[in-house]
mmCIF file of all heavy atoms in Angstrom:
data_model
loop_
_atom_site.group_PDB
_atom_site.id
_atom_site.type_symbol
_atom_site.label_atom_id
_atom_site.label_comp_id
_atom_site.label_asym_id
_atom_site.label_seq_id
_atom_site.Cartn_x
_atom_site.Cartn_y
_atom_site.Cartn_z
ATOM 1 N N GLN A 1283 14.232 4.271 1.003
ATOM 2 C CA GLN A 1283 14.387 3.311 -0.181
ATOM 3 C C GLN A 1283 13.445 2.190 0.023
ATOM 4 O O GLN A 1283 12.750 1.782 -0.969
ATOM 5 C CB GLN A 1283 15.846 2.861 -0.278
ATOM 6 C CG GLN A 1283 16.785 3.875 -0.812
ATOM 7 C CD GLN A 1283 18.205 3.446 -0.798
ATOM 8 O OE1 GLN A 1283 18.538 2.409 -0.243
ATOM 9 N NE2 GLN A 1283 19.040 4.194 -1.488
ATOM 10 N N ASP A 1284 13.350 1.661 1.208
ATOM 11 C CA ASP A 1284 12.450 0.482 1.398
ATOM 12 C C ASP A 1284 11.014 0.880 1.123
ATOM 13 O O ASP A 1284 10.300 0.138 0.426
ATOM 14 C CB ASP A 1284 12.560 0.017 2.845
ATOM 15 C CG ASP A 1284 13.879 -0.705 3.115
ATOM 16 O OD1 ASP A 1284 14.601 -1.056 2.208
ATOM 17 O OD2 ASP A 1284 14.204 -0.895 4.308
ATOM 18 N N VAL A 1285 10.634 2.046 1.594
ATOM 19 C CA VAL A 1285 9.228 2.517 1.413
ATOM 20 C C VAL A 1285 8.963 2.663 -0.122
ATOM 21 O O VAL A 1285 7.954 2.234 -0.652
ATOM 22 C CB VAL A 1285 8.959 3.862 2.112
ATOM 23 C CG1 VAL A 1285 7.763 4.521 1.604
ATOM 24 C CG2 VAL A 1285 8.877 3.529 3.612
ATOM 25 N N ILE A 1286 9.874 3.343 -0.789
ATOM 26 C CA ILE A 1286 9.701 3.654 -2.217
ATOM 27 C C ILE A 1286 9.722 2.424 -3.058
ATOM 28 O O ILE A 1286 8.831 2.174 -3.909
ATOM 29 C CB ILE A 1286 10.660 4.681 -2.669
ATOM 30 C CG1 ILE A 1286 10.314 6.084 -2.057
ATOM 31 C CG2 ILE A 1286 10.819 4.739 -4.212
ATOM 32 C CD1 ILE A 1286 11.372 7.155 -2.214
ATOM 33 N N LEU A 1287 10.654 1.527 -2.816
ATOM 34 C CA LEU A 1287 10.728 0.260 -3.572
ATOM 35 C C LEU A 1287 9.460 -0.587 -3.363
ATOM 36 O O LEU A 1287 8.945 -1.090 -4.366
ATOM 37 C CB LEU A 1287 11.957 -0.526 -3.203
ATOM 38 C CG LEU A 1287 13.290 -0.069 -3.774
ATOM 39 C CD1 LEU A 1287 14.451 -0.846 -3.191
ATOM 40 C CD2 LEU A 1287 13.249 -0.156 -5.285
ATOM 41 N N HIS A 1288 9.018 -0.657 -2.152
ATOM 42 C CA HIS A 1288 7.716 -1.403 -1.855
ATOM 43 C C HIS A 1288 6.546 -0.760 -2.621
ATOM 44 O O HIS A 1288 5.743 -1.453 -3.176
ATOM 45 C CB HIS A 1288 7.471 -1.540 -0.332
ATOM 46 C CG HIS A 1288 6.365 -2.550 -0.142
ATOM 47 N ND1 HIS A 1288 6.541 -3.885 -0.209
ATOM 48 C CD2 HIS A 1288 5.079 -2.367 0.219
ATOM 49 C CE1 HIS A 1288 5.432 -4.501 0.007
ATOM 50 N NE2 HIS A 1288 4.532 -3.584 0.264
ATOM 51 N N GLY A 1289 6.437 0.566 -2.501
ATOM 52 C CA GLY A 1289 5.374 1.328 -3.143
ATOM 53 C C GLY A 1289 5.422 1.089 -4.678
ATOM 54 O O GLY A 1289 4.287 0.905 -5.300
ATOM 55 N N LEU A 1290 6.596 1.162 -5.246
ATOM 56 C CA LEU A 1290 6.691 1.065 -6.739
ATOM 57 C C LEU A 1290 6.364 -0.394 -7.123
ATOM 58 O O LEU A 1290 5.824 -0.572 -8.291
ATOM 59 C CB LEU A 1290 8.106 1.386 -7.173
ATOM 60 C CG LEU A 1290 8.440 2.887 -7.139
ATOM 61 C CD1 LEU A 1290 9.944 3.160 -7.404
ATOM 62 C CD2 LEU A 1290 7.581 3.690 -8.041
ATOM 63 N N LYS A 1291 6.519 -1.365 -6.316
ATOM 64 C CA LYS A 1291 6.023 -2.738 -6.636
ATOM 65 C C LYS A 1291 4.558 -2.848 -6.786
ATOM 66 O O LYS A 1291 4.039 -3.673 -7.451
ATOM 67 C CB LYS A 1291 6.504 -3.717 -5.550
ATOM 68 C CG LYS A 1291 7.981 -4.011 -5.542
ATOM 69 C CD LYS A 1291 8.246 -5.001 -4.425
ATOM 70 C CE LYS A 1291 9.693 -5.107 -4.112
ATOM 71 N NZ LYS A 1291 9.954 -5.936 -2.938
ATOM 72 N N LEU A 1292 3.817 -1.855 -6.219
ATOM 73 C CA LEU A 1292 2.435 -1.919 -6.240
ATOM 74 C C LEU A 1292 1.827 -1.060 -7.364
ATOM 75 O O LEU A 1292 0.598 -1.025 -7.521
ATOM 76 C CB LEU A 1292 1.802 -1.441 -4.868
ATOM 77 C CG LEU A 1292 2.221 -2.221 -3.626
ATOM 78 C CD1 LEU A 1292 1.725 -1.637 -2.433
ATOM 79 C CD2 LEU A 1292 1.686 -3.671 -3.786
ATOM 80 N N VAL A 1293 2.666 -0.404 -8.162
ATOM 81 C CA VAL A 1293 2.139 0.371 -9.287
ATOM 82 C C VAL A 1293 1.380 -0.631 -10.207
ATOM 83 O O VAL A 1293 1.837 -1.715 -10.465
ATOM 84 C CB VAL A 1293 3.344 0.998 -10.091
ATOM 85 C CG1 VAL A 1293 2.864 1.530 -11.428
ATOM 86 C CG2 VAL A 1293 3.921 2.147 -9.235
ATOM 87 N N GLY A 1294 0.199 -0.229 -10.563
ATOM 88 C CA GLY A 1294 -0.674 -1.060 -11.396
ATOM 89 C C GLY A 1294 -1.762 -1.807 -10.624
ATOM 90 O O GLY A 1294 -2.667 -2.328 -11.282
ATOM 91 N N VAL A 1295 -1.714 -1.780 -9.272
ATOM 92 C CA VAL A 1295 -2.721 -2.370 -8.505
ATOM 93 C C VAL A 1295 -3.984 -1.505 -8.637
ATOM 94 O O VAL A 1295 -3.916 -0.222 -8.516
ATOM 95 C CB VAL A 1295 -2.348 -2.473 -6.981
ATOM 96 C CG1 VAL A 1295 -3.528 -2.859 -6.114
ATOM 97 C CG2 VAL A 1295 -1.212 -3.548 -6.825
ATOM 98 N N ARG A 1296 -5.180 -2.071 -8.797
ATOM 99 C CA ARG A 1296 -6.378 -1.311 -9.085
ATOM 100 C C ARG A 1296 -6.821 -0.584 -7.822
ATOM 101 O O ARG A 1296 -6.558 -1.012 -6.744
ATOM 102 C CB ARG A 1296 -7.462 -2.132 -9.722
ATOM 103 C CG ARG A 1296 -8.102 -3.093 -8.684
ATOM 104 C CD ARG A 1296 -9.229 -3.964 -9.395
ATOM 105 N NE ARG A 1296 -9.968 -4.730 -8.485
ATOM 106 C CZ ARG A 1296 -11.038 -4.278 -7.830
ATOM 107 N NH1 ARG A 1296 -11.513 -3.153 -8.041
ATOM 108 N NH2 ARG A 1296 -11.595 -5.087 -6.906
ATOM 109 N N TYR A 1297 -7.462 0.483 -8.031
ATOM 110 C CA TYR A 1297 -8.076 1.344 -6.988
ATOM 111 C C TYR A 1297 -9.455 0.726 -6.557
ATOM 112 O O TYR A 1297 -10.187 0.303 -7.347
ATOM 113 C CB TYR A 1297 -8.334 2.766 -7.419
ATOM 114 C CG TYR A 1297 -9.004 3.664 -6.393
ATOM 115 C CD1 TYR A 1297 -8.217 4.451 -5.534
ATOM 116 C CD2 TYR A 1297 -10.341 3.665 -6.245
ATOM 117 C CE1 TYR A 1297 -8.767 5.233 -4.618
ATOM 118 C CE2 TYR A 1297 -10.922 4.453 -5.246
ATOM 119 C CZ TYR A 1297 -10.196 5.207 -4.421
ATOM 120 O OH TYR A 1297 -10.788 5.996 -3.492
ATOM 121 N N ARG A 1298 -9.683 0.734 -5.326
ATOM 122 C CA ARG A 1298 -11.019 0.357 -4.732
ATOM 123 C C ARG A 1298 -11.170 1.152 -3.483
ATOM 124 O O ARG A 1298 -10.369 1.183 -2.516
ATOM 125 C CB ARG A 1298 -11.051 -1.141 -4.367
ATOM 126 C CG ARG A 1298 -12.478 -1.555 -3.886
ATOM 127 C CD ARG A 1298 -12.674 -2.956 -3.660
ATOM 128 N NE ARG A 1298 -11.889 -3.451 -2.485
ATOM 129 C CZ ARG A 1298 -12.365 -3.450 -1.176
ATOM 130 N NH1 ARG A 1298 -13.565 -2.947 -0.968
ATOM 131 N NH2 ARG A 1298 -11.620 -3.898 -0.230
ATOM 132 N N PHE A 1299 -12.291 1.973 -3.477
ATOM 133 C CA PHE A 1299 -12.652 2.782 -2.329
ATOM 134 C C PHE A 1299 -12.703 1.919 -1.044
ATOM 135 O O PHE A 1299 -13.382 0.881 -1.049
ATOM 136 C CB PHE A 1299 -13.977 3.501 -2.511
ATOM 137 C CG PHE A 1299 -14.340 4.413 -1.421
ATOM 138 C CD1 PHE A 1299 -13.716 5.695 -1.312
ATOM 139 C CD2 PHE A 1299 -15.302 4.078 -0.458
ATOM 140 C CE1 PHE A 1299 -14.037 6.491 -0.293
ATOM 141 C CE2 PHE A 1299 -15.545 4.924 0.557
ATOM 142 C CZ PHE A 1299 -14.975 6.184 0.665
ATOM 143 N N GLY A 1300 -11.956 2.392 -0.019
ATOM 144 C CA GLY A 1300 -11.966 1.554 1.238
ATOM 145 C C GLY A 1300 -11.039 0.330 1.149
ATOM 146 O O GLY A 1300 -10.954 -0.394 2.120
ATOM 147 N N GLY A 1301 -10.289 0.154 0.031
ATOM 148 C CA GLY A 1301 -9.502 -0.990 -0.185
ATOM 149 C C GLY A 1301 -8.238 -0.953 0.709
ATOM 150 O O GLY A 1301 -7.590 0.026 0.833
ATOM 151 N N ASN A 1302 -7.974 -2.190 1.195
ATOM 152 C CA ASN A 1302 -6.822 -2.360 2.119
ATOM 153 C C ASN A 1302 -5.831 -3.416 1.737
ATOM 154 O O ASN A 1302 -4.824 -3.649 2.392
ATOM 155 C CB ASN A 1302 -7.349 -2.802 3.513
ATOM 156 C CG ASN A 1302 -7.976 -1.667 4.288
ATOM 157 O OD1 ASN A 1302 -7.390 -0.659 4.440
ATOM 158 N ND2 ASN A 1302 -9.219 -1.891 4.684
ATOM 159 N N ASP A 1303 -6.060 -4.161 0.576
ATOM 160 C CA ASP A 1303 -5.163 -5.215 0.261
ATOM 161 C C ASP A 1303 -5.026 -5.240 -1.320
ATOM 162 O O ASP A 1303 -5.885 -4.804 -2.067
ATOM 163 C CB ASP A 1303 -5.562 -6.549 0.822
ATOM 164 C CG ASP A 1303 -6.866 -7.012 0.298
ATOM 165 O OD1 ASP A 1303 -7.029 -7.347 -0.862
ATOM 166 O OD2 ASP A 1303 -7.867 -7.032 1.141
ATOM 167 N N VAL A 1304 -3.943 -5.817 -1.701
ATOM 168 C CA VAL A 1304 -3.543 -5.871 -3.156
ATOM 169 C C VAL A 1304 -4.583 -6.654 -3.926
ATOM 170 O O VAL A 1304 -4.909 -6.304 -5.037
ATOM 171 C CB VAL A 1304 -2.170 -6.498 -3.334
ATOM 172 C CG1 VAL A 1304 -1.794 -6.678 -4.713
ATOM 173 C CG2 VAL A 1304 -1.131 -5.629 -2.564
ATOM 174 N N GLU A 1305 -5.088 -7.775 -3.388
ATOM 175 C CA GLU A 1305 -5.973 -8.629 -4.163
ATOM 176 C C GLU A 1305 -7.319 -7.935 -4.522
ATOM 177 O O GLU A 1305 -7.748 -8.027 -5.646
ATOM 178 C CB GLU A 1305 -6.309 -9.901 -3.412
ATOM 179 C CG GLU A 1305 -5.114 -10.848 -3.218
ATOM 180 C CD GLU A 1305 -4.130 -10.418 -2.105
ATOM 181 O OE1 GLU A 1305 -4.574 -9.695 -1.152
ATOM 182 O OE2 GLU A 1305 -2.925 -10.650 -2.290
ATOM 183 N N SER A 1306 -7.897 -7.200 -3.567
ATOM 184 C CA SER A 1306 -9.196 -6.552 -3.862
ATOM 185 C C SER A 1306 -9.032 -5.107 -4.306
ATOM 186 O O SER A 1306 -9.961 -4.555 -4.857
ATOM 187 C CB SER A 1306 -10.134 -6.631 -2.645
ATOM 188 O OG SER A 1306 -9.503 -5.890 -1.557
ATOM 189 N N GLY A 1307 -7.924 -4.531 -4.111
ATOM 190 C CA GLY A 1307 -7.615 -3.120 -4.546
ATOM 191 C C GLY A 1307 -7.308 -2.289 -3.308
ATOM 192 O O GLY A 1307 -7.556 -2.609 -2.138
ATOM 193 N N LEU A 1308 -6.797 -1.069 -3.603
ATOM 194 C CA LEU A 1308 -6.338 -0.131 -2.565
ATOM 195 C C LEU A 1308 -6.863 1.274 -2.824
ATOM 196 O O LEU A 1308 -6.927 1.717 -3.967
ATOM 197 C CB LEU A 1308 -4.793 -0.077 -2.540
ATOM 198 C CG LEU A 1308 -4.068 -1.333 -2.283
ATOM 199 C CD1 LEU A 1308 -2.625 -1.212 -2.597
ATOM 200 C CD2 LEU A 1308 -4.226 -1.627 -0.726
ATOM 201 N N ASP A 1309 -7.293 1.922 -1.744
ATOM 202 C CA ASP A 1309 -7.507 3.369 -1.933
ATOM 203 C C ASP A 1309 -6.311 4.118 -1.503
ATOM 204 O O ASP A 1309 -5.243 3.494 -1.159
ATOM 205 C CB ASP A 1309 -8.782 3.849 -1.167
ATOM 206 C CG ASP A 1309 -8.705 3.719 0.327
ATOM 207 O OD1 ASP A 1309 -7.626 3.425 0.831
ATOM 208 O OD2 ASP A 1309 -9.746 3.938 0.985
ATOM 209 N N CYS A 1310 -6.312 5.445 -1.605
ATOM 210 C CA CYS A 1310 -5.006 6.148 -1.291
ATOM 211 C C CYS A 1310 -4.416 5.889 0.045
ATOM 212 O O CYS A 1310 -3.258 5.526 0.198
ATOM 213 C CB CYS A 1310 -5.250 7.676 -1.531
ATOM 214 S SG CYS A 1310 -6.304 8.514 -0.287
ATOM 215 N N SER A 1311 -5.323 5.913 1.183
ATOM 216 C CA SER A 1311 -4.735 5.684 2.399
ATOM 217 C C SER A 1311 -4.420 4.241 2.643
ATOM 218 O O SER A 1311 -3.466 3.880 3.395
ATOM 219 C CB SER A 1311 -5.661 6.269 3.501
ATOM 220 O OG SER A 1311 -6.964 5.673 3.391
ATOM 221 N N GLY A 1312 -5.205 3.362 2.071
ATOM 222 C CA GLY A 1312 -4.915 1.922 2.138
ATOM 223 C C GLY A 1312 -3.513 1.605 1.548
ATOM 224 O O GLY A 1312 -2.802 0.773 2.055
ATOM 225 N N PHE A 1313 -3.255 2.221 0.393
ATOM 226 C CA PHE A 1313 -1.958 2.022 -0.261
ATOM 227 C C PHE A 1313 -0.894 2.541 0.620
ATOM 228 O O PHE A 1313 0.120 1.844 0.906
ATOM 229 C CB PHE A 1313 -2.005 2.814 -1.589
ATOM 230 C CG PHE A 1313 -0.636 3.089 -2.202
ATOM 231 C CD1 PHE A 1313 0.059 1.995 -2.713
ATOM 232 C CD2 PHE A 1313 -0.073 4.332 -2.238
ATOM 233 C CE1 PHE A 1313 1.362 2.186 -3.333
ATOM 234 C CE2 PHE A 1313 1.264 4.510 -2.778
ATOM 235 C CZ PHE A 1313 1.908 3.393 -3.298
ATOM 236 N N VAL A 1314 -0.925 3.770 1.132
ATOM 237 C CA VAL A 1314 0.120 4.304 1.972
ATOM 238 C C VAL A 1314 0.313 3.480 3.256
ATOM 239 O O VAL A 1314 1.420 3.183 3.637
ATOM 240 C CB VAL A 1314 -0.202 5.832 2.360
ATOM 241 C CG1 VAL A 1314 0.812 6.316 3.406
ATOM 242 C CG2 VAL A 1314 -0.123 6.676 1.090
ATOM 243 N N ARG A 1315 -0.757 3.113 3.830
ATOM 244 C CA ARG A 1315 -0.710 2.344 5.056
ATOM 245 C C ARG A 1315 -0.062 0.959 4.812
ATOM 246 O O ARG A 1315 0.867 0.537 5.611
ATOM 247 C CB ARG A 1315 -2.106 2.110 5.573
ATOM 248 C CG ARG A 1315 -2.217 1.571 6.979
ATOM 249 C CD ARG A 1315 -3.652 1.769 7.492
ATOM 250 N NE ARG A 1315 -3.627 1.578 8.891
ATOM 251 C CZ ARG A 1315 -4.224 0.498 9.516
ATOM 252 N NH1 ARG A 1315 -4.821 -0.377 8.824
ATOM 253 N NH2 ARG A 1315 -4.150 0.408 10.744
ATOM 254 N N LEU A 1316 -0.396 0.281 3.736
ATOM 255 C CA LEU A 1316 0.141 -1.015 3.447
ATOM 256 C C LEU A 1316 1.675 -0.868 3.200
ATOM 257 O O LEU A 1316 2.480 -1.668 3.590
ATOM 258 C CB LEU A 1316 -0.536 -1.553 2.183
ATOM 259 C CG LEU A 1316 -0.098 -2.993 1.739
ATOM 260 C CD1 LEU A 1316 -0.396 -4.022 2.883
ATOM 261 C CD2 LEU A 1316 -0.708 -3.354 0.422
ATOM 262 N N VAL A 1317 2.067 0.169 2.325
ATOM 263 C CA VAL A 1317 3.461 0.331 2.016
ATOM 264 C C VAL A 1317 4.271 0.537 3.311
ATOM 265 O O VAL A 1317 5.341 -0.065 3.459
ATOM 266 C CB VAL A 1317 3.636 1.484 1.068
ATOM 267 C CG1 VAL A 1317 5.099 1.998 0.963
ATOM 268 C CG2 VAL A 1317 3.056 1.213 -0.271
ATOM 269 N N PHE A 1318 3.885 1.406 4.154
ATOM 270 C CA PHE A 1318 4.636 1.696 5.416
ATOM 271 C C PHE A 1318 4.708 0.428 6.347
ATOM 272 O O PHE A 1318 5.742 0.154 6.892
ATOM 273 C CB PHE A 1318 4.140 2.907 6.128
ATOM 274 C CG PHE A 1318 4.756 4.207 5.598
ATOM 275 C CD1 PHE A 1318 4.342 4.742 4.452
ATOM 276 C CD2 PHE A 1318 5.753 4.853 6.332
ATOM 277 C CE1 PHE A 1318 4.926 5.918 3.915
ATOM 278 C CE2 PHE A 1318 6.331 5.990 5.860
ATOM 279 C CZ PHE A 1318 5.974 6.539 4.722
ATOM 280 N N LYS A 1319 3.568 -0.239 6.373
ATOM 281 C CA LYS A 1319 3.545 -1.462 7.302
ATOM 282 C C LYS A 1319 4.450 -2.556 6.759
ATOM 283 O O LYS A 1319 5.314 -3.097 7.475
ATOM 284 C CB LYS A 1319 2.136 -1.899 7.422
ATOM 285 C CG LYS A 1319 1.954 -3.193 8.332
ATOM 286 C CD LYS A 1319 0.556 -3.536 8.534
ATOM 287 C CE LYS A 1319 -0.061 -4.444 7.551
ATOM 288 N NZ LYS A 1319 0.601 -5.622 7.078
ATOM 289 N N ASP A 1320 4.321 -2.848 5.456
ATOM 290 C CA ASP A 1320 5.031 -3.955 4.904
ATOM 291 C C ASP A 1320 6.528 -3.622 4.724
ATOM 292 O O ASP A 1320 7.347 -4.567 4.595
ATOM 293 C CB ASP A 1320 4.383 -4.370 3.608
ATOM 294 C CG ASP A 1320 3.089 -5.188 3.783
ATOM 295 O OD1 ASP A 1320 2.700 -5.399 4.985
ATOM 296 O OD2 ASP A 1320 2.402 -5.481 2.828
ATOM 297 N N SER A 1321 6.844 -2.382 4.438
ATOM 298 C CA SER A 1321 8.222 -2.067 4.115
ATOM 299 C C SER A 1321 9.094 -1.793 5.345
ATOM 300 O O SER A 1321 10.257 -2.232 5.444
ATOM 301 C CB SER A 1321 8.372 -0.907 3.172
ATOM 302 O OG SER A 1321 7.811 0.254 3.779
ATOM 303 N N ILE A 1322 8.546 -1.076 6.358
ATOM 304 C CA ILE A 1322 9.343 -0.720 7.549
ATOM 305 C C ILE A 1322 8.725 -0.992 8.812
ATOM 306 O O ILE A 1322 9.226 -0.592 9.838
ATOM 307 C CB ILE A 1322 9.790 0.679 7.501
ATOM 308 C CG1 ILE A 1322 8.652 1.729 7.388
ATOM 309 C CG2 ILE A 1322 10.751 1.025 6.279
ATOM 310 C CD1 ILE A 1322 9.016 3.202 7.637
ATOM 311 N N GLY A 1323 7.490 -1.691 8.733
ATOM 312 C CA GLY A 1323 6.773 -1.980 9.999
ATOM 313 C C GLY A 1323 6.054 -0.845 10.760
ATOM 314 O O GLY A 1323 5.706 -0.996 11.856
ATOM 315 N N THR A 1324 5.965 0.301 10.097
ATOM 316 C CA THR A 1324 5.265 1.437 10.698
ATOM 317 C C THR A 1324 3.733 1.349 10.512
ATOM 318 O O THR A 1324 3.311 1.285 9.349
ATOM 319 C CB THR A 1324 5.791 2.744 10.153
ATOM 320 O OG1 THR A 1324 7.194 2.826 10.467
ATOM 321 C CG2 THR A 1324 5.082 3.968 10.710
ATOM 322 N N LEU A 1325 2.974 1.404 11.601
ATOM 323 C CA LEU A 1325 1.569 1.388 11.457
ATOM 324 C C LEU A 1325 1.007 2.816 11.454
ATOM 325 O O LEU A 1325 1.173 3.602 12.363
ATOM 326 C CB LEU A 1325 0.905 0.595 12.606
ATOM 327 C CG LEU A 1325 1.344 -0.853 12.714
ATOM 328 C CD1 LEU A 1325 0.717 -1.508 13.902
ATOM 329 C CD2 LEU A 1325 0.836 -1.641 11.438
ATOM 330 N N LEU A 1326 0.297 3.162 10.397
ATOM 331 C CA LEU A 1326 -0.304 4.452 10.173
ATOM 332 C C LEU A 1326 -1.751 4.368 10.454
ATOM 333 O O LEU A 1326 -2.364 3.362 10.196
ATOM 334 C CB LEU A 1326 0.092 5.042 8.772
ATOM 335 C CG LEU A 1326 1.487 5.295 8.537
ATOM 336 C CD1 LEU A 1326 1.692 5.687 7.039
ATOM 337 C CD2 LEU A 1326 1.993 6.454 9.444
#
């Protein structure tokens, strides 16, 4: 639930190749990595 809720909060954030943060944009792995780190502290 924590992972999904955090991920859903990021719906609408723009894509950016190599992106790692919300402000500049996220790519697919940057999105997944950020969600797991910020929601449950798991580093991928």
Side-chain angles (χ1 to χ4, degrees):
Q1283 285 176 349
D1284 290 347
V1285 164
I1286 289 170
L1287 284 173
H1288 190 74
L1290 289 171
K1291 288 179 192 174
L1292 299 177
V1293 167
V1295 170
R1296 73 180 187 90
Y1297 178 94
R1298 183 174 69 87
F1299 183 77
N1302 286 306
D1303 61 70
V1304 174
E1305 292 77 29
S1306 61
L1308 298 165
D1309 67 7
C1310 67
S1311 56
F1313 165 70
V1314 169
R1315 192 168 195 249
L1316 182 67
V1317 167
F1318 273 77
K1319 180 176 87 49
D1320 287 356
S1321 62
I1322 60 171
T1324 297
L1325 298 176
L1326 294 174

